[in-house]
Amino acid sequence: VVAVAQTNMADAEALMQLKKSFTNSSSLSSWLITNTDGDKSPCAPGSHEWHGVVCSRGKVTGLRLNGLRLGGTVDVGALVGFHNLRSVSFAGNNFSGPLPAVDRLTSIKSMFFSDNQFTGVLPDDFFSKLSHLKKLWLDHNELSGAIPASIAQATSLLELHLAHNAFSGELPPLPPPALKVFDISWNDLEGVVPEAFRKFDAGRFGGNQYLCYVPTSDRPCKRVQAAAASSSKRSPMAFVTLLVSVVVVALVLCLCCNRSSRVHDFDPAHRGGDGLDERPPVYMVKQFSTTGKRSASWLGKRTRSSLRGHRRAASAAKADELGGGAGDLVIVNNGKGVFGLTDLMKAAAEVIGSGGHGSAYKAVMANGVAVVVKRARDMNRATKDAFEAEMKRLGAMSHANLLPPLAYHYRRDEKLLVYEYIPKGSLLYVLHGDRGMDYAGLDWPTRLKVAVGVARGTAFLHGELAGHEVPHGNLKSANILLAPDFEPLLVDFGYSGLINHMQSPNSMIARRAPECAAGHPVGAKADVYCLGIVLLELLTGKFPSLYLQNAKGGTDLVMWATSAIADGYERDLFDKAITSAWKFALPDMARLMRVAVDCVETDADKRPDMKVAAARVEEVVAAAMATVRERHQAAGGESSRSSSHAQYVRDGSMQRITSVGERSSRRGSNDYSS
Ligand SMILES: Nc1ncnc2c1ncn2[C@@H]1O[C@H](COP(=O)(O)OP(=O)(O)OP(=O)(O)O)[C@@H](O)[C@H]1O
């Protein structure tokens, strides 16, 4: 008895020792040895709950300490005495420094260290003692060096996630014999993927500049080869170009530094904020006014001179036909009337952001109409005729969840695209931005409304633009604008045939789907992947790392959701902002997450097509809204609100609507959230 009591106390003390190695451990305030605990183990019946400590049959079997903002180190010495410990999760914290010597935990089965800042190399014999290990997640850290050849000795290993680190060198010749999932994407590996590794999905090797899944003649598979090739091509002229580029970049950096003080005011990543996960910059309208108002310098020098060349054009008032417009601005949708470049030149303008295609400006014209003008640099893939035909086609699109372009201006080296200005801004901004009133409006029923609207809009595009390589191509929360009633409006769609991907390889989010990272061409299923990411974003409230180009930050939502579903703890992932008030909806959230996870399947062939994905979202949303309605009715309140939303969910949202103002007034009471 004394021995058991000592062991129990040893468990409590070992956990306290572990806690001591953490900094910022306020989330573990329940970890304490109280007088009333006596000799109880943290797992003994009647013992107080120790947050994150998982027990089975009175023994500590797991530690689930993910996402607690813990820092410092992990004292592995404190854990070696837990002989029944099978799973530890320290993912999504702020641990840094070398990875602790977790290979001492020889009976462990799952370890999750993703999304920290661990550095250093893995020792050569790292895997040799981990014969029981089944899952190891080390992705999204700063680990470097070679992948130890001892992985072949991890005989039980089923999943190994090493993505988004700085591992270098070549892959070892053999993977562990039982390995089913292997992800090494976004590292610095080189060489040719050994035959024995080619049974794994090609997408999981993407993002390694010199790693060739299969060798090809047009791509170096070794860093030295690449360096030699580029130096042999370098000419004196290239050197001059390089020098000029450096000077230009330095100048641009200076300008950016000047501007960044303003940008930071609106950048949650630079604010103390609520200390949630690191949230990368979210630029949005309503933030900073820049260029000299009414100077029209924002339109670009060439556009202004092009306008002077076209002054022969009639005044805006006279250009009353679609396809016309004053000063070479071609109106493709007259939802906001007819206007011309001259009207834009006189407009008060402010920068609202800079995306993959170029800068975006808000311009308020003299008649009070506010538009967004986007200057697109790299839309020169199609001929002028093809470009114009495409813009007319996009402008004529009519769906309650699409924001078609209103007008364009064509020049060979730059295009202007004009859209109606949507004051509430994007889902990205509302969800991850300043967390103001609109964020509070993003409750569970509203998120359902956004989810179903996005699915409907994208499915509509997949019908209308079925011939496109990827019908939307740029589906992400920055391109989902929110109407006053939170109806989602997709923007920046249908550009895949217009953008020169050589000049602008990263401007379409669809090209970051795993199959494209592996070198396959973009296809319609990449939109399905992006839809899955948006659904995960709505469910978790987290900023997806997919939206960042190679940068650190955000959350690998695919990894999180997939592993959470596999391990049955998806409920831990849902945004607290929705789970706290809508606890009864947890099963519906889990259903929507399953749809999302099917959409983000790495193998594009295994993803549903857009029609099926959208139908599944419709189905889950209808059921979830029915649950909400029942709850409201049971609580005796707000039944009228919920039934109007049910009506919304039934309505196919396919009316021809030309402007957002019209949308809101037409829909009127047929809405849940407003
Ligand atoms: N019509 C609009 N009304 C209000 N805000 C808009 C509108 N169009 C775009 N925005 C916002 O302006 C910002 C810049 O848009 P832009 O399209 O240039 O970049 P992006 O959407 O971040 O990236 P990408 O160019 O890859 O689509 C984004 O925050 C976007 O949400």
Side-chain angles (χ1 to χ4, degrees), residues 282-285 287 352-360 371-372 374 403 419-429 474 476-481 491-492 506-509:
V282 176
Y283 303 103
M284 238 319 287
V285 283
Q287 307 89 340
I352 60 169
S354 177
H357 308 299
S359 315
V371 292
V372 166
K374 298 187 180 184
L403 187 74
Y419 293 87
E420 177 181 353
Y421 169 69
I422 307 298
K424 205 187 280 293
S426 65
L427 175 64
L428 178 92
Y429 177 69
N474 220 351
K476 58 181 180 177
S477 55
N479 287 337
I480 298 169
L481 302 170
V491 71
D492 279 3
N506 294 314
S507 63
M508 278 191 357
I509 196 79

Side-chain angles (χ1 to χ4, degrees), residues 408-426:
Y408 70 86
H409 168 71
Y410 182 96
R411 274 193 306 105
R412 201 162 47 84
D413 53 350
E414 189 177 67
K415 323 284 175 280
L416 298 183
L417 306 174
V418 185
Y419 293 87
E420 177 181 353
Y421 169 69
I422 307 298
K424 205 187 280 293
S426 65

Side-chain angles (χ1 to χ4, degrees), residues 513-670:
E515 62 275 22
C516 305
H520 297 290
V522 67
K525 291 279 185 83
D527 272 348
V528 179
Y529 188 86
C530 297
L531 172 68
I533 297 285
V534 171
L535 295 177
L536 291 175
E537 207 176 336
L538 282 167
L539 285 165
T540 63
K542 301 261 197 245
F543 185 101
S545 52
L546 183 87
Y547 293 169
L548 299 168
Q549 285 176 30
N550 297 339
K552 289 275 168 190
T555 302
D556 184 343
L557 289 179
V558 176
M559 178 282 278
W560 272 104
T562 322
S563 105
I565 285 197
D567 292 348
Y569 67 91
E570 65 261 42
R571 289 171 181 215
D572 292 358
L573 264 59
F574 298 133
D575 191 350
K576 301 275 177 297
I578 49 173
T579 51
S580 50
W582 307 85
K583 213 172 230 125
F584 65 84
L586 280 168
D588 291 321
M589 293 176 197
R591 261 173 234 128
L592 191 58
M593 181 168 274
R594 245 159 266 143
V595 178
V597 165
D598 288 348
C599 291
V600 296
E601 179 59 65
T602 307
D603 182 349
D605 292 338
K606 290 193 187 143
R607 281 174 222 148
D609 69 20
M610 185 53 78
K611 203 169 153 201
V612 173
R616 287 185 61 195
V617 174
E618 290 271 1
E619 197 184 321
V620 173
V621 169
M625 282 314 306
T627 317
V628 170
R629 199 167 52 243
E630 276 160 26
R631 281 292 169 137
H632 278 300
Q633 277 162 359
E638 302 207 345
S639 54
S640 57
R641 238 178 133 216
S642 24
S643 63
S644 66
H645 187 81
Q647 192 184 337
Y648 154 78
V649 167
R650 280 196 304 272
D651 123 32
S653 306
M654 302 286 283
Q655 327 102 315
R656 175 165 172 88
I657 289 168
T658 48
S659 81
V660 173
E662 193 183 345
R663 271 168 230 277
S664 304
S665 59
R666 277 209 205 169
R667 195 165 287 116
S669 64
N670 187 19

Side-chain angles (χ1 to χ4, degrees), residues 38-266:
D39 61 2
K40 283 187 204 128
S41 145
C43 293
S47 171
H48 73 273
E49 194 191 336
W50 290 53
H51 181 88
V53 177
V54 182
C55 300
S56 174
R57 298 194 187 145
K59 304 272 190 250
V60 176
T61 56
L63 289 178
R64 198 179 284 167
L65 304 179
N66 40 300
L68 297 181
R69 293 174 235 151
L70 301 170
T73 54
V74 177
D75 182 349
V76 176
L79 296 177
V80 286
F82 290 104
H83 299 294
N84 294 287
L85 189 64
R86 298 289 174 266
S87 166
V88 289
S89 176
F90 294 99
N93 284 293
N94 293 320
F95 293 114
S96 54
L99 190 73
V102 288
D103 49 338
R104 291 176 66 195
L105 305 175
T106 47
S107 46
I108 203 89
K109 291 190 171 170
S110 319
M111 296 198 279
F112 304 90
F113 289 94
S114 314
D115 266 313
N116 282 287
Q117 291 116 47
F118 288 117
T119 49
V121 300
L122 300 182
D124 279 350
D125 60 349
F126 182 79
F127 290 95
S128 57
K129 285 172 264 164
L130 295 169
S131 55
H132 297 282
L133 187 65
K134 291 189 166 170
K135 293 184 184 181
L136 179 61
W137 293 71
L138 295 176
D139 56 288
H140 290 86
N141 279 291
E142 287 153 32
L143 298 166
S144 53
I147 295 169
S150 62
I151 60 167
Q153 295 166 36
T155 45
S156 305
L157 198 60
L158 299 173
E159 288 186 25
L160 180 57
H161 298 262
L162 303 175
H164 292 269
N165 276 291
F167 287 110
S168 55
E170 299 199 11
L171 279 166
L174 289 177
L179 199 65
K180 297 251 175 317
V181 180
F182 179 60
D183 191 347
I184 188 67
S185 55
W186 302 106
N187 277 282
D188 290 330
L189 292 185
E190 57 184 287
V192 177
V193 173
E195 191 63 43
F197 278 88
R198 290 207 206 135
K199 61 184 176 183
F200 304 114
D201 191 279
R204 308 282 181 138
F205 297 88
N208 288 279
Q209 203 183 349
Y210 300 113
L211 184 67
C212 302
Y213 193 70
V214 282
T216 54
S217 55
D218 59 345
R219 204 183 140 207
C221 304
K222 283 261 180 220
R223 194 174 306 275
V224 277
Q225 277 174 7
S230 67
S231 67
S232 68
K233 278 187 204 152
R234 220 171 277 147
S235 66
M237 196 51 218
F239 178 74
V240 173
T241 312
L242 185 71
L243 197 69
V244 171
S245 311
V246 169
V247 173
V248 170
V249 167
L251 280 172
V252 169
L253 280 177
C254 283
L255 283 172
C256 289
C257 288
N258 283 339
R259 222 176 68 172
S260 64
S261 57
R262 277 171 293 180
V263 174
H264 285 179
D265 290 343
F266 309 96

